[in-house]
Amino acid sequence: MPNWRSISLWMDQLDEDLTPRPALAGTLEVDVAIIGAGYTGLWTAYYLKRQAPDLKIAIVEAQFAGFGASGRNGGWLMGNLLGEDRVLSKLPAELRRASFDLLHGIPDEVATVLQREGIDCHYRKAGVLYCAARYPEQEKRLRAQLADLYTEGLSESDYRWLTPSELSSQLRVSNVLGAIHTPHCATIQPARLVRGLARVVEGMGVQLFEQSPATDWRPGLVSTAQGQLKALWVVPAVEGYAASLPPLGRYQLPVQSLLIATEPLSDAQWADIGLERGQAFSESSRQVTYGQRTADNRLAFGARGGYRFGGRLRENFHLSEDEIGLRRYLFGELFPQLRNVRISHAWGGNLGMARRFQPHMLADCKSGIALSGGYGGEGVGASNLGGRTLADLILQKDTTLTRQPWVLGNTPISRLSRWEPEPCRWLGYNAIIRSFVHEDRVLANPNSAPWRRAMALKLADLMEGLMR
């Protein structure tokens, strides 16, 4: 058996047997066939069974539960959805506030399930600290974001500015200029959550087949090498692996996020840093950094990864020295005392990105296909929302969940926004990322001329606009 524990720090920490469950063999007739035993597939099965216990549900998984992004992410359980500001800005104030409240309630909803089902995934809800550090332009950008949030109807109880002195009671970062704190985020051990959910849905009567990659799928039918699922509904819950199930690859592209973790740090080292309550943190560059203090006192830290020509999946996540070095540099700038600490784990995963960077949820009643995906880097929480929403859509319920602006309802997949053809995607992505890297290098250099800093900012702003 492959060394499954090597795929991430989180899998390496598990104390359970990772031997895959038996593969699907023969033909099975069910009400709902789910492709993928990650968060979206498992949450969908869970909420369907909670509301309709008699439903026959089966899940086929290519490897084992949690092999994909669900077992490899940074462990931020956010009360947010990618692109929420653009979507909700079109709503009247009262409806917009209600939608924000729904999103902000995601961590609490997950906590309720964890308590009810006895899943221990090191859940700690102490919020997230979005820090302005390394260069002054970060403070300007972060304060502008805060002003936009207040304009949208949010308040200090949702997002609050912290001065460097106020921040120091939670996190001590070098050259910090301030931070935004929001309570609407928890940190978790991702693999413990996905593995726990798999056990729970099995206990509810869901059949879970591992080592069963889907070789073909269509309305009413999912085929694997050794068997078939005949179903009224098919749910392709594959997120970053959409390219393996045409035509989903037109709508959800795989991009990579890459992480490292330190060896366990000493009590003295953590006394210098903080994060006593398990807060998440980042610094506000376009490198998209994210970190947390793990339950065993490591620093887990990640940053934006890459995209491969043609939307090819990255299979090998043995990070290069440069990939590890960039992440070490970024957290070393925040915590100079950790610049030489030993890195114990390095890993990454494929996540799904929708065109216009806006997730989608739909259930096409005519074809019997339900889809939720394109979460970007916010999938830990968004997948719970997606699973709840798909359950209501499949059961044809009209609820607060199904009336949200990111829900397309009874819509075929073909109505989703498509990504541009190659080589446009690859050229565009690389041009955008290079502008971000250039901006960060220029702004991080205190000797950069003002005109050079202004040009780097304008170029990065322009390129970021193309992402929408």
Side-chain angles (χ1 to χ4, degrees):
M1 188 181 76
N3 181 15
W4 300 124
R5 298 186 186 279
S6 68
I7 69 174
S8 70
L9 163 70
W10 316 119
M11 285 293 175
D12 194 30
Q13 290 179 334
L14 296 179
D15 57 3
E16 64 180 84
D17 182 8
L18 295 181
T19 300
R21 296 168 174 85
L24 174 67
T27 299
L28 185 64
E29 293 190 6
V30 296
D31 298 304
V32 182
I34 298 173
I35 307 172
Y39 291 145
T40 298
L42 294 170
W43 280 125
T44 302
Y46 177 79
Y47 287 106
L48 281 170
K49 275 292 192 179
R50 286 278 297 176
Q51 298 183 71
D54 293 335
L55 280 180
K56 295 180 181 179
I57 303 174
I59 303 174
V60 289
E61 162 59 40
Q63 300 292 341
F64 67 95
F67 175 82
S70 298
R72 302 169 184 255
N73 59 79
W76 283 32
L77 175 56
M78 303 171 68
N80 299 96
L81 195 67
L82 185 67
E84 63 186 40
D85 53 342
R86 289 176 283 131
V87 177
L88 296 182
S89 64
K90 304 171 186 176
L91 297 181
E94 184 177 350
L95 292 179
R96 183 168 62 246
R97 179 71 238 195
S99 294
F100 274 122
D101 289 342
L102 176 65
L103 294 176
H104 294 164
I106 291 172
D108 293 338
E109 167 64 19
V110 172
T112 298
V113 176
L114 299 178
Q115 183 175 20
R116 180 168 58 227
E117 306 298 348
I119 299 174
D120 178 10
C121 63
H122 303 163
Y123 178 97
R124 297 166 295 176
K125 189 186 178 192
V128 56
L129 299 159
Y130 296 107
C131 302
R134 298 205 294 132
Y135 42 83
E137 286 83 358
Q138 286 197 21
E139 180 182 4
K140 183 178 180 181
R141 179 182 301 157
L142 208 55
R143 285 187 179 274
Q145 292 174 2
L146 184 61
D148 289 341
L149 291 168
Y150 289 164
T151 299
E152 291 167 4
L154 299 173
S155 68
E156 283 199 351
S157 64
D158 300 302
Y159 294 90
R160 184 169 72 91
W161 182 260
L162 302 179
T163 65
S165 176
E166 291 171 322
L167 176 64
S168 67
S169 66
Q170 299 190 60
L171 174 65
R172 290 164 287 283
V173 174
S174 179
N175 298 319
V176 71
L177 302 165
I180 294 174
H181 174 262
T182 174
H184 306 307
C185 182
T187 54
I188 62 166
Q189 208 280 22
R192 292 175 69 97
L193 173 58
V194 69
R195 300 293 293 180
L197 281 174
R199 290 191 295 271
V200 167
V201 299
E202 274 193 309
M204 299 171 80
V206 175
Q207 294 179 275
L208 174 52
F209 302 98
E210 296 180 326
Q211 298 286 275
S212 301
T215 56
D216 185 37
W217 76 289
R218 62 192 68 183
L221 184 66
V222 176
S223 300
T224 68
Q226 302 176 48
Q228 290 183 328
L229 294 178
K230 294 183 177 180
L232 300 176
W233 283 94
V234 175
V235 181
V238 292
E239 190 56 353
Y241 292 82
S244 64
L245 291 178
L248 287 182
R250 300 173 185 170
Y251 315 108
Q252 294 176 194
L253 286 185
V255 296
Q256 290 80 46
S257 191
L258 309 178
L259 302 94
I260 58 176
T262 69
E263 62 186 348
L265 304 179
S266 68
D267 290 344
Q269 287 172 310
W270 280 118
D272 284 343
I273 297 170
L275 302 178
E276 288 88 354
R277 296 182 287 118
Q279 301 94 321
F281 75 94
S282 74
E283 53 88 34
S284 300
S285 74
R286 279 181 259 240
Q287 297 279 18
V288 189
T289 62
Y290 47 96
Q292 67 151 300
R293 176 179 180 173
T294 67
D296 63 347
N297 286 324
R298 302 172 190 268
L299 176 68
F301 188 87
R304 187 195 299 274
Y307 167 75
R308 296 196 159 194
F309 186 86
R312 290 183 295 111
L313 290 168
R314 177 167 175 172
E315 305 287 353
N316 179 3
F317 281 101
H318 296 293
L319 271 59
S320 69
E321 290 186 9
D322 286 345
E323 290 171 331
I324 294 173
L326 173 61
R327 285 145 189 85
R328 179 190 282 277
Y329 160 76
L330 289 169
F331 81 65
E333 289 292 286
L334 303 176
F335 312 112
Q337 67 271 41
L338 301 184
R339 280 182 175 143
N340 297 317
V341 72
R342 187 176 73 86
I343 303 300
S344 63
H345 295 76
W347 73 98
N350 296 294
L351 53 91
M353 191 69 75
R355 187 64 182 98
R356 308 194 190 290
F357 297 80
Q358 182 177 315
H360 41 251
M361 301 172 194
L362 60 87
D364 180 6
C365 294
K366 183 177 180 180
S367 67
I369 293 175
L371 175 66
S372 178
Y375 308 129
E378 301 177 8
V380 180
S383 58
N384 172 268
L385 181 70
R388 282 187 277 156
T389 303
L390 288 192
D392 283 358
L393 289 171
I394 289 170
L395 296 173
Q396 299 185 37
K397 293 186 175 183
D398 179 17
T399 66
T400 300
L401 288 166
T402 63
R403 291 193 295 269
Q404 296 304 313
W406 48 79
V407 179
L408 304 180
N410 186 11
T411 303
I413 289 177
S414 60
R415 295 287 298 276
L416 294 174
S417 297
R418 297 188 181 193
W419 282 96
E420 291 77 4
E422 294 290 20
C424 298
R425 291 197 308 250
W426 187 84
L427 291 172
Y429 178 88
N430 280 280
I432 291 168
I433 296 305
R434 288 186 181 185
S435 75
F436 292 171
V437 172
H438 173 70
E439 176 197 46
D440 198 65
R441 287 175 177 169
V442 171
L443 300 185
N445 180 359
N447 298 318
S448 295
W451 66 267
R452 190 180 297 277
R453 302 176 78 89
M455 284 189 62
L457 270 168
K458 286 184 178 181
L459 176 61
D461 284 340
L462 174 65
M463 299 304 287
E464 188 173 48
L466 297 178
M467 298 168 67
R468 301 183 179 183

